């Protein structure tokens, strides 16, 4: 690359970054068919849900340890994709991880595990207690 082209990029890049940062801070657009958002809207609170999972793969086995530090129950599933096309991929049944609980999920392939990951889902709310009925 010629020396003058490198200097031009070095001079233009910082000014582009400054212009991009200044331009996005001042732009407020209304969604199609809706009202413009408030200028000083409070940021959304972070979603305090989901077990923290660590997944390890060693040749034919995949293992995940999931710990839930939050008060809501998390349903976790381990998904395993095998490296060979003829080997069956696996999806575990949902496992409940209650508050302050840790669970171990495992799966395997015949030859090699290509990849493994965990998905999360909120547990359904329990039905409200029955009122007005008396037990005998």
């Amino acid at each position: 690359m010629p020396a003058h082209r490198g200097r031009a990029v070095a001079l233009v890049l910082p000014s582009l970054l400054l212009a991009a940062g200044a331009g996005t801070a001042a732009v407020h657009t209304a969604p199609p068919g809706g009202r413009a958002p408030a200028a000083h809207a409070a940021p959304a609170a972070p979603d305090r849900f989901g077990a923290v999972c660590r997944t390890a793969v060693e040749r034919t086995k995949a293992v995940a340890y999931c710990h839930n530090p939050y008060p809501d129950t998390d349903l976790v599933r381990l998904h395993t994709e095998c490296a060979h096309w003829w080997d069956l991929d696996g999806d575990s049944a949902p496992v409940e991880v209650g508050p302050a609980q840790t669970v171990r999920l495992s799966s395997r392939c015949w030859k090699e595990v290509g990849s493994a990951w965990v998905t999360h889902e909120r547990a359904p709310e329990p039905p409200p207690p029955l009122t007005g009925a008396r037990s005998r």
Side-chain angles (χ1 to χ4, degrees), residues 57-80:
V57 173
E58 187 176 322
R59 294 178 26 193
T60 62
K61 297 178 184 176
V63 177
Y65 290 94
C66 296
H67 175 74
N68 185 5
Y70 301 115
D72 294 330
T73 300
D74 187 3
L75 296 175
V76 294
R77 296 178 71 174
L78 177 63
H79 305 276
T80 307

Side-chain angles (χ1 to χ4, degrees), residues 69-95:
Y70 301 115
D72 294 330
T73 300
D74 187 3
L75 296 175
V76 294
R77 296 178 71 174
L78 177 63
H79 305 276
T80 307
E81 186 174 292
C82 298
H84 300 284
W85 66 268
W86 44 263
D87 208 345
L88 296 176
D89 298 340
D91 298 319
S92 74
V95 176

